[in-house]
Amino acid sequence: MIKTDFDIARLCKKNHFIGILAVLSIICSSLYGQNLNSKQEQKLHQIPHLKKQGTVSQLIVDDKPFIILGGELGNSSFTSLEYMHPIWPKLKKMNLNTVLAPVYWELLEPEEGKFDFDLYDQLINEARKNNLKLVFLWFGAWKNSMSSHAPAWVKIDQKRFPRVKDNKGKSHEILSPFGEENLKADLKAYEALMKHIKEFDGTENTVIMIQTENEIGMLPTARDYHPLANKKFQENVTVELINYLKKNKKVIVPELSERWAKNGFKESGTWEDIFGKNVHTDEIFMAWHYSKYTNSIIEAGKAIYALPMFVNAALNRTDSLPGSYPSGGPLPHIMDVWKAGGPSIDFLSPDFYNPNFKHWCDLYIRQQNPLFIPEHSLDKTAAAKAVYSIGHYGALGFSPFSIEDINDPENEPLAKIYNIIKQLNPLISAYQGLGKIEGVLLDKETPMNVLKMGNYELTVKHSYTLGYEKDSKNETWDMAGAIIIQTAENEFYVGGSGLVITFKNLIKPDLNVGILKVDEGKFESNKWKVIRHLNGDQTHQGRHVRMMYNDYSILRFELYNYD
Ligand code: DGJ
């Protein structure tokens, strides 16, 4: 008999249909597991892939939904075993399950056609030993706009590998997306990489996704003025893009629609005929060619080994003009151009080094774009944003940049929040995209979020609003974040820190909502274990559910109604 002693299974059961699905999936994976044991030498996992559940996409790794609790390495760290040696234990202590690590074209193909995979094989082995997955970042033609990671044989042959030119005719160390040889060479190296990953890792699946290029974008002018680019700029806008715009006229993002509208929604003509004579048109033109270029590489790579593949963007300041930031990259105001030019690109991702987290995430989830945050500055807000992005947006994962710079890994808020998400992972995976999960992000400017979950309205405030904690008197407040999961009509789990929740009945507002029970606990091998029953002062005598700012924890609570 199959033993499903998961508390998780019991929890899922309570939610009727969703529960049945979740229980079935657990039973199937148990059966599948038994099957695997009997054929031990065989590894039957599907290749990591994206799968829709309700309103979100889940990343499936080793046949199970996988949330990336990640960290991205600094740009030069993944260049030797020796340098990485002291870093691995830190990453483990931080509770990471995935490392985002560069693969450098210059090291991979030091001589044209001669590939050296030794370093990456050894690093993949190290990741395996540490039970970590890898997302490889292909530092190919572009890294932060520039082409600094192109091999020397590419850099020194400007004739064969043309560079972009600015409007004064000056060349820059940026390979032009209009150079056919640039694409050919980059694509060949990418194909070799994918072929090797397939051979070396196709059964282990240590490498779970690929970021193709890094922060693509044109600088210091909004478009390339190389003669090859100028020629293309004079041509008519490709039918492929026009057809996409026509087909999606009602749903393309307003920032792009407005540009198209200004010239009367023209359906043929040059770039300037259709979008006007300005730097925004230059940027749209570059976005089209960058996305086509990247799509060609991704298509070729997927034909060999179809891991999920994505691109990332350096976010612009909203008031800045194209040319003053890496323009034409996978930015939200031109995301439709990228979607049209890059149908094989699984998603576009934001890199966060600026404020307004919610604003940018809201922009990136348009056009059904799955949210993944491959880079966030390694600051005090990262932990709260990680849990919020997974709770509120159903993000595929989160990953602060230069993760090895952490000094005291165990005591980092990020390590604590990753531990919480790890424990809640089966519940999150079962309920994601089905309207049962929410996230909150609270600070002094936004100290309260109001959530509607089932029959209840939850008013979630920053714990500093209570005034009990000494830091509540500070000018600015530490950011607090949490995930809330509704597992039955009256049953919830909340994981995070720094919040206080009160309740109303949405359907029958005259009824009072009381708290039946609050427990603090943890999931051990998917079983809920109570550590402390909370009541009295800890619930303000039954008036609220709360966790103080530094109390990173998981609470389970049950509500009831009374006249
Ligand atoms: C964003 C880039 O994608 C990273 O590789 C790194 O350069 C950081 N900026 C900042 O150092």
Side-chain angles (χ1 to χ4, degrees):
M1 210 185 98
I2 305 152
K3 204 171 158 235
T4 54
D5 62 350
F6 284 101
D7 257 27
I8 299 292
R10 181 191 63 76
L11 291 169
C12 298
K13 249 189 228 160
K14 288 194 176 181
N15 250 322
H16 314 296
F17 182 63
I18 299 166
I20 293 168
L21 284 182
V23 171
L24 273 178
S25 88
I26 288 164
I27 292 172
C28 289
S29 46
S30 301
L31 278 170
Y32 188 58
Q34 288 185 341
N35 201 17
L36 270 188
N37 292 340
S38 61
K39 297 180 193 164
Q40 249 157 18
E41 73 288 356
Q42 257 178 309
K43 190 85 190 302
L44 297 172
H45 294 315
Q46 276 187 292
I47 185 169
H49 60 280
L50 297 178
K51 192 174 162 209
K52 260 304 218 187
Q53 174 167 290
T55 54
V56 304
S57 289
Q58 295 184 317
L59 173 64
I60 309 294
V61 176
D62 298 336
D63 304 321
K64 292 188 290 286
F66 186 88
I67 297 169
I68 294 183
L69 306 175
E72 180 166 325
L73 295 172
N75 292 160
S76 305
S77 301
F78 213 53
T79 51
S80 83
L81 280 190
E82 191 178 341
Y83 193 83
M84 281 302 297
H85 187 71
I87 295 178
W88 296 110
K90 267 193 182 186
L91 305 179
K92 288 302 296 169
K93 285 184 192 157
M94 285 280 293
N95 291 315
L96 262 65
N97 61 16
T98 307
V99 187
L100 279 70
V103 174
Y104 317 86
W105 187 9
E106 57 182 331
L107 298 190
L108 193 78
E109 196 183 6
E111 262 183 75
E112 186 168 8
K114 297 214 169 104
F115 295 95
D116 183 354
F117 290 105
D118 269 9
L119 173 65
Y120 299 103
D121 292 352
Q122 293 179 51
L123 289 168
I124 290 174
N125 279 333
E126 289 300 306
R128 286 178 188 162
K129 275 189 221 154
N130 286 286
N131 200 20
L132 285 162
K133 298 287 186 188
L134 292 167
V135 172
F136 272 164
L137 317 171
W138 173 237
F139 283 10
W142 299 297
K143 156 74 177 73
N144 300 27
S145 302
M146 303 293 286
S147 299
S148 45
H149 290 273
W153 54 270
V154 172
K155 281 184 180 162
I156 58 180
D157 192 350
Q158 205 175 328
K159 200 150 180 268
R160 180 173 163 208
F161 302 109
R163 308 279 182 85
V164 304
K165 287 183 188 291
D166 62 23
N167 54 358
K168 310 241 161 23
K170 185 176 176 306
S171 287
H172 293 266
E173 199 180 69
I174 303 176
L175 292 170
S176 169
F178 301 94
E180 269 177 35
E181 284 291 306
N182 295 343
L183 173 60
K184 253 197 229 164
D186 193 3
L187 187 147
K188 241 172 135 183
Y190 193 78
E191 280 182 332
L193 174 66
M194 295 317 296
K195 186 166 175 282
H196 188 78
I197 298 175
K198 183 182 181 181
E199 281 162 14
F200 190 77
D201 192 48
T203 50
E204 292 268 340
N205 298 136
T206 310
V207 182
I208 56 172
M209 293 208 293
I210 311 282
Q211 179 191 289
T212 311
E213 314 291 349
N214 188 82
E215 291 195 350
I216 293 170
M218 181 61 200
L219 273 175
T221 45
R223 83 164 174 89
D224 182 2
Y225 287 83
H226 189 283
L228 291 168
N230 291 341
K231 187 168 169 283
K232 286 274 177 213
F233 194 61
Q234 297 316 320
E235 290 174 6
N236 274 2
V237 174
T238 163
V239 187
E240 227 178 315
L241 178 57
I242 298 290
N243 284 347
Y244 176 97
L245 294 176
K246 277 164 49 182
K247 190 169 161 216
N248 296 290
K249 194 167 180 177
K250 294 216 170 81
V251 292
I252 54 177
V253 299
E255 305 93 301
L256 183 69
S257 182
E258 279 156 24
R259 304 236 159 266
W260 189 24
K262 271 194 185 154
N263 263 9
F265 291 114
K266 284 204 187 101
E267 293 182 0
S268 68
T270 65
W271 296 87
E272 289 187 332
D273 292 338
I274 292 186
F275 298 110
K277 198 174 167 56
N278 53 54
V279 282
H280 303 287
T281 299
D282 294 351
E283 180 176 43
I284 293 170
F285 166 74
M286 287 309 290
W288 174 255
H289 288 286
Y290 275 136
S291 63
K292 290 296 288 176
Y293 178 110
T294 316
N295 194 64
S296 304
I297 294 193
I298 286 185
E299 256 178 19
K302 282 191 178 179
I304 295 165
Y305 189 48
L307 288 177
M309 296 182 189
F310 67 99
V311 288
N312 65 331
L315 299 181
N316 53 318
R317 283 200 327 269
T318 17
D319 55 351
S320 53
L321 283 177
S324 63
Y325 59 85
S327 310
L331 286 160
H333 61 282
I334 42 177
M335 71 191 298
D336 282 298
V337 183
W338 272 84
K339 292 282 174 194
S344 296
I345 303 172
D346 288 294
F347 51 89
L348 321 177
S349 287
D351 288 348
F352 278 100
Y353 295 90
N354 47 0
N356 303 331
F357 187 73
K358 289 184 185 183
H359 164 79
W360 288 104
C361 290
D362 286 341
L363 296 182
Y364 267 94
I365 56 161
R366 297 176 301 176
Q367 313 305 38
Q368 305 201 27
N369 186 57
L371 185 67
F372 175 61
I373 296 154
E375 289 184 47
H376 187 284
S377 51
L378 192 59
D379 62 25
K380 276 169 71 181
T381 68
K385 289 176 187 166
V387 70
Y388 170 69
S389 60
I390 291 159
H392 183 69
Y393 296 103
L396 298 170
F398 191 91
S399 161
F401 179 72
S402 213
I403 193 76
E404 66 274 40
D405 291 350
I406 293 276
N407 289 324
D408 185 11
E410 285 105 331
N411 292 318
E412 267 301 315
L414 191 71
K416 295 180 188 165
I417 216 77
Y418 276 1
N419 177 32
I420 286 174
I421 302 170
K422 207 177 256 182
Q423 292 179 55
L424 291 172
N425 188 15
L427 276 187
I428 299 173
S429 300
Y431 290 112
Q432 238 177 2
L434 305 173
K436 301 283 175 193
I437 303 189
E438 254 305 347
V440 291
L441 191 63
L442 307 162
D443 57 14
K444 201 160 191 176
E445 283 70 51
T446 312
M448 177 173 103
N449 289 177
V450 178
L451 310 174
K452 294 192 185 342
M453 300 186 80
N455 295 345
Y456 294 105
E457 180 180 280
L458 282 66
T459 300
V460 189
K461 293 186 184 169
H462 198 300
S463 65
Y464 288 0
T465 57
L466 295 171
Y468 301 162
E469 292 154 288
K470 114 176 159 329
D471 287 345
S472 62
K473 310 281 175 300
N474 293 350
E475 191 123 324
T476 54
W477 286 0
D478 301 309
M479 194 172 261
I483 185 167
I484 303 172
I485 308 165
Q486 185 178 19
T487 46
E489 197 182 325
N490 297 315
E491 182 189 61
F492 297 80
Y493 285 78
V494 52
S497 90
L499 53 91
V500 48
I501 318 176
T502 51
F503 309 91
K504 275 189 196 149
N505 189 312
L506 273 175
I507 312 296
K508 296 183 184 152
D510 292 344
L511 282 183
N512 295 296
V513 179
I515 297 169
L516 214 50
K517 195 176 183 196
V518 188
D519 289 327
E520 181 187 341
K522 57 183 169 186
F523 280 98
E524 275 178 355
S525 309
N526 291 327
K527 274 194 156 196
W528 176 243
K529 184 175 167 197
V530 177
I531 301 170
R532 188 161 61 132
H533 175 59
L534 300 181
N535 209 339
D537 291 346
Q538 281 64 50
T539 64
H540 195 16
Q541 333 306 326
R543 294 185 187 88
H544 65 215
V545 169
R546 74 162 192 244
M547 41 175 82
M548 293 314 200
Y549 187 72
N550 278 316
D551 294 343
Y552 287 87
S553 46
I554 303 178
L555 307 182
R556 174 194 174 279
F557 59 90
E558 266 180 65
L559 305 176
Y560 76 105
N561 300 280
Y562 62 95
D563 290 332

